[in-house]
């Protein structure tokens, strides 16, 4: 297929109105019965993603890798892992997505490589050769002592000793993932070339993995240091120049003031999008605390983001539900609520999926998902959450929530024809969440299923640009179990929507200070009028437990 058949929109800010879907190639569909999902399987399932209403697919790393960190340990940036298929399969997948109007964003993991990468092998055996300086080497393990350890469950130091070179190398993640040395200009060139390689193929953007950690300088924390931002701006400038319309999304789990820095400035733009790590855990906090107070203050604290930028909002992804962005008290409380079994914890977070976290309770799931689709920014769904898939806490580390997609109630949930013990991970097998109970095929014909709810909501949201590009203004609520905000069109044209979410487990009466007097409100979902604001612009509502509403403000 050549470029002329590509049907994705040409809108440069496409990512502001997109719904993203994260799926790992190995988890979706196995077509050659080896137990691993593959690109042929991804191609087969493109129609499903289009039917669901997905605008962009995010693929975590699918490159040559020893798979000791789910592929985030890359051994060759330009090679597809043969288990997943060939480069031709990837090209066909990309063209197939584009032909259906869907974009493809891939992971760009440049903080570190696998220790199997040829650069590292050369670096350790030939210190004075061309790759000698590609990694961060020291004679002792004492430098950068201010830098925290991220994988607290597995690592005790950010330094590891290499016998061959007789020196220590720096690593922010697993010790088999040496960090690249961004002080070396040759590393910049190598990384830029890899970016061009994939952009040239036609990928629509990159998720910048672990992006705060590129540079570390003595006495500092090794997070969000100024030269790291300079490098991102350099990458962005190259893309704007050579591949306009492609997108960068930052994975920067940082406090609100720091995370917005990843959008850059008008003079030196960086990422188009950044994941909203500060807001995510507060959604889960509110769901159990029954109060929206923490969420309201986090939303209030979020600094303005530059023109044309967008948050990436999410509930879950392939990692643990990280609790780095809440206070110590909130974290302790959340562990109590969401991690009753100690083995559900990992690092500073919880390794569970959305449905089991929320008691497999539709009211809670719908509330959380409706909020996800209402917040400023573009939602990122995690594969399987659209059918309420479960997890397996007996698997290691974050594999707990990376089990095969459940398509049918048949063998291996329709994921693979391999013998069950050959699968990359076993299917979830509990009574509540196994494929006989949770699968796409049985939910498709059921209009009340979570799958059809998700699809209907995406279709509804697609008709209302305001959710992608509109402004957000918090609305004062008389009851702190209620979160309410107005989404208004950026340009002044189009619908204005009052969004209301009750975290209370009891019915509540609430007064919302909408502001404009004598405005009628229409429920977007039911089409029914729900009332009007009074002389003072206040709307009185009775809300069912865990109710949510999208209300269009009338003339
Ligand atoms: C962030 C990725 O999301 C995570 O899965 C991975 O383990 C680390 N980066 C290290 O690459
Ligand atoms: Ca396969």
């Amino acid at each position: 297929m050549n470029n002329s058949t590509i049907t994705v929109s040409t809108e440069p800010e496409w990512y502001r109105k997109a719904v993203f879907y994260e799926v790992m190639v190995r988890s979706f569909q196995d077509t050659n019965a080896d137990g691993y999902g593959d690109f042929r399987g991804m191609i087969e399932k493109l129609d499903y993603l289009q039917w669901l209403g997905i605008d962009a697919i995010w693929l975590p790393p699918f490159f040559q890798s020893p798979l000791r960190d789910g592929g985030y340990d890359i051994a060759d940036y330009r090679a597809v892992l043969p288990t997943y298929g060939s480069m031709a399969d990837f090209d066909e997948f990309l063209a197939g997505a584009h032909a259906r109007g869907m974009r493809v964003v891939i992971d760009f993991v440049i903080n570190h490589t696998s220790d199997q990468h040829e650069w590292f092998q050369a670096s350790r055996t030939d210190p004075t050769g061309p790759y000698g300086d590609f990694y961060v080497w020291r004679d002792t393990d004492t430098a950068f002592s201010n830098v925290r350890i991220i994988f607290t469950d597995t690592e005790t130091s950010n330094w590891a000793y290499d016998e061959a070179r007789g020196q220590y190398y720096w690593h922010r993640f697993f010790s088999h993932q040496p960090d690249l040395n961004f002080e070396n200009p040759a590393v910049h060139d190598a990384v830029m070339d890899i970016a061009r390689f994939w952009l040239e193929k036609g990928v629509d953007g990159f998720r910048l993995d672990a992006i705060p950690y590129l540079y570390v300088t003595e006495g500092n924390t090794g997070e969000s240091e100024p030269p790291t931002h300079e490098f991102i701006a350099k990458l962005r400038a190259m893309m704007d120049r050579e591949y306009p319309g492609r997108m960068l999304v930052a994975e920067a789990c940082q406090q609100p003031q720091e995370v917005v820095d990843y959008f850059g400035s008008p003079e030196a733009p960086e990422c188009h999008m950044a994941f909203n790590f500060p807001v995510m855990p507060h959604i889960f906090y509110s769901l159990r605390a029954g109060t929206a107070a923490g969420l309201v203050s986090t939303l209030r604290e979020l600094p303005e983001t530059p023109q044309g930028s967008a948050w990436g909002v999410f509930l879950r992804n392939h990692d643990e539900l990280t609790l780095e962005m809440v206070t110590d008290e909130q974290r302790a409380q959340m562990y109590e609520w969401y991690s009753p079994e100690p083995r559900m914890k990992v690092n500073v977070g919880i390794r569970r999926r959305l449905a089991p976290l929320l008691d497999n309770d539709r009211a809670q799931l719908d509330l959380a998902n409706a909020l996800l689709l209402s917040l400023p920014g573009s939602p990122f769904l995690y594969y399987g959450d659209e059918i309420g898939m479960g997890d397996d806490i007996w698997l290691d580390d974050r594999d707990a929530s990376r089990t095969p997609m459940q398509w049918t109630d048949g063998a291996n949930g329709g994921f693979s024809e391999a013998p069950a013990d050959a699968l990359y991970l076993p299917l979830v097998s509990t009574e509540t969440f196994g494929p006989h109970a949770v699968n796409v095929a049985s939910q498709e014909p059921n209009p009340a299923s979570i799958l059809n709810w998700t699809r209907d909501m995406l279709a509804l949201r697609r008709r209302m640009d305001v959710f992608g590009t509109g402004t957000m203004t918090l609305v004062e609520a008389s009851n702190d179990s209620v979160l309410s905000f107005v989404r208004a069109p950026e340009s002044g044209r189009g619908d204005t929507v009052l969004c209301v979410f009750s975290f209370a487990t009891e019915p509540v009466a609430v007064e919302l200070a909408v502001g404009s007097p004598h405005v009628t409100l229409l429920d977007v979902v039911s089409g029914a009028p729900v009332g009007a604001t009074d002389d003072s612009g206040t709307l009185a509502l009775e809300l069912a437990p865990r109710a949510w509403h999208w209300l269009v403000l009338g003339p």
Side-chain angles (χ1 to χ4, degrees):
M1 207 176 276
N2 63 37
N3 284 349
S4 62
T5 54
I6 290 178
T7 57
V8 285
S9 73
T10 50
E11 228 175 306
E13 293 182 1
W14 58 269
Y15 50 87
R16 296 179 69 200
K17 289 188 207 156
V19 173
F20 291 78
Y21 185 95
E22 178 191 8
V23 57
M24 290 164 291
V25 175
R26 72 174 173 285
S27 307
F28 220 35
Q29 180 71 65
D30 173 19
T31 57
N32 64 346
D34 66 351
Y36 281 71
D38 39 55
F39 273 112
R40 307 281 349 146
M42 292 296 308
I43 294 166
E44 270 181 26
K45 294 302 180 187
L46 282 171
D47 286 339
Y48 167 77
L49 295 176
Q50 189 183 18
W51 170 85
L52 185 58
I54 299 305
D55 302 294
I57 302 162
W58 156 26
L59 293 184
F62 50 83
F63 318 103
Q64 188 64 256
S65 162
L67 298 185
R68 295 179 68 194
D69 180 20
Y72 283 91
D73 47 333
I74 297 174
D76 183 347
Y77 288 96
R78 289 181 172 81
V80 173
L81 187 75
T83 317
Y84 299 158
S86 63
M87 190 60 89
D89 292 335
F90 171 81
D91 291 339
E92 192 179 326
F93 161 75
L94 183 62
H98 284 165
R100 288 168 180 78
M102 292 186 286
R103 289 186 153 86
V104 176
V105 170
I106 69 173
D107 243 288
F108 198 44
V109 186
I110 55 175
N111 176 68
H112 48 271
T113 69
S114 160
D115 59 7
Q116 304 300 305
H117 197 291
E118 62 180 20
W119 296 342
F120 188 70
Q121 291 306 323
S123 198
R124 56 196 289 261
T125 51
D126 185 10
T128 54
Y131 297 100
D133 208 16
F134 255 52
Y135 296 85
V136 182
W137 294 100
R138 291 289 186 280
D139 290 331
T140 64
D141 62 358
T142 51
F144 313 138
S145 58
N146 287 347
V147 175
R148 72 180 170 121
I149 291 168
I150 297 170
F151 284 166
T152 49
D153 283 5
T154 34
E155 300 297 331
T156 52
S157 168
N158 288 320
W159 291 105
Y161 187 70
D162 181 65
E163 292 287 345
R165 177 146 164 168
Q167 281 190 308
Y168 293 88
Y169 62 87
W170 180 248
H171 63 88
R172 289 307 305 274
F173 295 94
F174 291 120
S175 58
H176 57 75
Q177 288 166 315
D179 275 33
L180 285 165
N181 175 21
F182 276 80
E183 304 281 359
N184 179 355
V187 167
H188 287 214
D189 294 345
V191 161
M192 289 291 186
D193 282 351
I194 297 162
R196 287 192 182 95
F197 175 84
W198 290 101
L199 292 166
E200 203 53 49
K201 284 202 159 285
V203 303
D204 299 285
F206 294 127
R207 167 188 181 268
L208 296 182
D209 179 74
I211 203 64
Y213 314 118
L214 300 189
Y215 278 84
V216 51
T217 54
E218 198 49 59
N220 295 313
T221 63
E223 306 199 8
S224 309
E225 295 198 16
T228 295
H229 284 290
E230 282 161 30
F231 178 78
I232 304 170
K234 177 170 156 180
L235 174 63
R236 167 71 183 262
M238 180 277 278
M239 286 170 61
D240 281 353
R241 218 172 31 240
E242 299 175 31
Y243 303 94
R246 315 296 176 92
M247 185 273 276
L248 290 173
V249 52
E251 188 224 6
C253 184
Q254 306 278 302
Q255 297 295 341
Q257 295 301 332
E258 279 91 56
V259 75
V260 291
D261 289 345
Y262 287 87
F263 292 115
S265 62
E267 303 72 47
E270 296 179 27
C271 298
H272 306 77
M273 303 185 75
F275 284 112
N276 199 326
F277 279 98
V279 162
M280 182 277 295
H282 287 284
I283 299 176
F284 289 93
Y285 188 87
S286 290
L287 282 161
R288 281 286 170 285
T291 157
L295 199 45
V296 169
S297 53
T298 310
L299 287 168
R300 189 165 286 142
E301 267 169 43
L302 275 185
E304 286 284 309
T305 60
Q307 180 70 32
S309 66
W311 289 111
V313 286
F314 64 103
L315 295 167
R316 294 295 299 110
N317 59 26
H318 67 288
D319 285 327
E320 68 272 31
L321 192 176
T322 173
L323 299 179
E324 284 172 353
M325 295 294 114
V326 295
T327 64
D328 292 349
E329 295 77 52
Q330 287 168 332
R331 187 175 312 118
Q333 182 67 80
M334 290 178 80
Y335 275 137
E336 219 168 278
W337 287 329
Y338 288 116
S339 180
E341 303 269 358
R343 56 177 309 118
M344 292 172 173
K345 289 185 198 163
V346 68
N347 304 319
V348 190
I350 303 171
R351 51 194 204 96
R352 299 181 71 195
R353 262 197 188 263
L354 188 62
L357 280 165
L358 302 187
D359 305 327
N360 202 23
D361 170 32
R362 274 299 291 280
Q364 293 180 57
L365 287 164
D366 292 0
L367 179 62
N369 281 314
L371 177 55
L372 176 74
L373 301 183
S374 317
L375 285 167
S378 295
F380 280 69
L381 312 183
Y382 184 50
Y383 85 97
D385 283 349
E386 77 275 24
I387 54 169
M389 252 170 68
D391 49 38
D392 182 349
I393 59 161
W394 298 99
L395 298 174
D396 283 343
D397 195 353
R398 292 153 293 163
D399 280 351
S401 50
R402 298 175 179 179
T403 60
M405 179 69 178
Q406 298 174 188
W407 296 106
T408 70
D409 63 0
N412 295 330
F415 161 72
S416 168
E417 285 170 11
D421 61 2
L423 304 188
Y424 77 95
L425 285 178
L427 277 116
V428 170
S429 61
T430 60
E431 207 169 310
T432 317
F433 291 110
H436 53 278
V438 175
N439 69 74
V440 172
S442 69
Q443 291 193 24
E444 255 168 7
N446 174 4
S449 65
I450 185 166
L451 177 61
N452 277 307
W453 183 92
T454 306
R455 180 171 184 254
D456 293 346
M457 288 291 287
L458 297 189
L460 203 55
R461 189 181 187 278
R462 181 187 296 278
R463 296 210 300 271
M464 307 177 82
D465 282 354
V466 70
F467 285 118
T469 54
T471 59
M472 184 206 71
T473 312
L474 286 160
V475 168
E476 196 151 320
S478 61
N479 187 319
D480 76 1
S481 62
V482 177
L483 167 66
S484 179
F485 49 79
V486 168
R487 301 296 313 272
E490 186 177 44
S491 61
R493 282 198 5 245
D495 288 325
T496 296
V497 183
L498 176 70
C499 303
V500 186
F501 309 89
S502 171
F503 293 97
T505 52
E506 303 290 326
V508 293
V510 66
E511 292 190 349
L512 302 173
V514 179
S516 335
H518 308 294
V519 173
T520 55
L521 293 112
L522 210 69
D523 192 301
V524 175
V525 177
S526 67
V530 293
T533 55
D534 65 11
D535 290 343
S536 66
T538 301
L539 176 72
L541 283 179
E542 306 273 334
L543 297 172
R546 293 184 167 130
W548 65 273
H549 296 283
W550 285 348
L551 306 173
V552 175
L553 268 63

